[in-house]
Amino acid sequence: MNSHLGIGMTSQRTRDRLIERLREKGITNEAVLEVMRRTPRHIFVDEALATRAYEDTALPIGSGQTISQPYIVARMTEVLLGAGSPQRVLEVGTGCGYQTAILAQLVEKVFTVERIAPLLQRARNLLYELRLSNVRYQHSDGNWGWQAHAPYDGIIVTAAPQNVPPELLGQLGDGGRLVIPTGGQGQIQRLRLITRQGDEFNETLLESVSFVPLVQGDIS
Ligand code: SAH
């Protein structure tokens, strides 16, 4: 338990420095910055990596997956929120649950889907420890979204498919926002914002990114 307490490289000063970096890189949403300032990222990574948790870099979380770089988490969250505050958000790719924890403090309800069961279980435990209770978890293939709770005001995908899965478009509510990286491994991936107005979908291309693939098919 003591290892979770903020000491040394995981101190508040170290976290504040990360927030300054995010500002310098262009993140302007104060609510996002504040939530990232107070959320302990080091508890989401392996203890051996905890001292690096407040560097602006992706880190391994086991099962061949990574915790996203803080800048990317901030940027995707900022884009997802837009000018408003969505109430119901679907997250595809729970991973270690860090992005989930940030979202849970900014929107009313988060529905998160992960294909690797042990990662999902760990994320669930960590968010419980952080007393974030407005999150629902599902072990499944996120290419299919989570139909039972659709429509969503926002959908965020934290792994890259080759193309946008049509089911996700179908589960986006009117006025909703979908933030998703697309492109294969070793190719240039682009982050996209897709907004829905009625039956019309508009797309804005954002920066180049590098995500693990959104796996097609079975779950493990
Ligand atoms: N948001 C996470 C990033 C995790 S990396 C974080 O903050 O740590 C991407 C995650 O997407 C991995 O955990 C991977 O297992 C998951 N993933 C990949 N393909 C998936 C699929 N088809 N359905 C659900 N999750 C998937």
Side-chain angles (χ1 to χ4, degrees), residues 65-67 93 95-96 99 114-116 141-143 158 214-215:
Q65 306 302 322
T66 52
I67 180 172
C96 67
Q99 170 80 70
E114 168 62 53
R115 65 176 286 278
I116 301 178
D141 177 0
N143 281 289
T158 69
L214 185 76
V215 175

Side-chain angles (χ1 to χ4, degrees), residues 3-15 42 50-54:
S3 61
H4 287 181
L5 298 177
I7 42 163
M9 289 307 285
T10 57
S11 71
Q12 192 58 56
R13 259 191 44 221
T14 312
R15 296 188 206 182
H42 64 277
T51 58
R52 301 192 54 200
Y54 300 97

Side-chain angles (χ1 to χ4, degrees), residues 13 18 43 50 69 92 105 109 122 136 163 166 176 202 205:
R13 259 191 44 221
L18 171 62
I43 70 169
Q69 179 194 0
V92 174
Q105 296 171 79
K109 188 112 204 172
R122 235 187 106 242
R136 298 279 300 270
N163 300 298
N202 284 303
L205 277 180

Side-chain angles (χ1 to χ4, degrees), residues 17-180:
R17 220 172 293 135
L18 171 62
I19 300 312
E20 285 319 307
R21 299 267 343 249
L22 297 180
R23 267 187 220 283
E24 283 161 23
K25 288 187 170 179
I27 304 299
T28 56
N29 186 313
E30 289 299 327
V32 172
L33 289 167
E34 178 52 27
V35 162
M36 289 190 66
R37 198 180 65 79
R38 65 170 187 240
T39 304
R41 187 168 182 260
H42 64 277
I43 70 169
F44 290 89
V45 300
D46 195 88
E47 241 170 282
L49 292 169
T51 58
R52 301 192 54 200
Y54 300 97
E55 292 173 17
D56 190 18
T57 127
L59 294 168
I61 54 171
S63 308
Q65 306 302 322
T66 52
I67 180 172
S68 303
Q69 179 194 0
Y71 168 74
I72 291 297
V73 172
R75 178 76 178 124
M76 288 178 82
T77 307
E78 181 172 85
V79 171
L80 182 79
L81 297 181
S85 56
Q87 299 195 334
R88 299 160 59 78
V89 169
L90 171 68
E91 178 191 40
V92 174
T94 318
C96 67
Y98 178 70
Q99 170 80 70
T100 325
I102 301 300
L103 287 171
Q105 296 171 79
L106 291 162
V107 308
E108 215 170 282
K109 188 112 204 172
V110 182
F111 300 86
T112 189
V113 177
E114 168 62 53
R115 65 176 286 278
I116 301 178
L119 283 181
L120 188 67
Q121 189 52 46
R122 235 187 106 242
R124 193 198 292 263
N125 294 344
L126 286 169
L127 269 71
Y128 181 81
E129 251 185 69
L130 293 174
R131 296 185 172 44
L132 298 172
S133 54
N134 56 336
V135 181
R136 298 279 300 270
Y137 305 83
Q138 178 162 269
H139 176 220
S140 64
D141 177 0
N143 281 289
W144 302 98
W146 192 350
Q147 180 61 47
H149 299 287
Y152 300 100
D153 306 311
I155 301 179
I156 182 170
V157 183
T158 69
Q162 196 69 45
N163 300 298
V164 178
E167 284 74 14
L168 298 184
L169 296 175
Q171 290 174 25
L172 196 61
D174 196 7
R177 299 162 76 82
L178 165 63
V179 184
I180 184 168

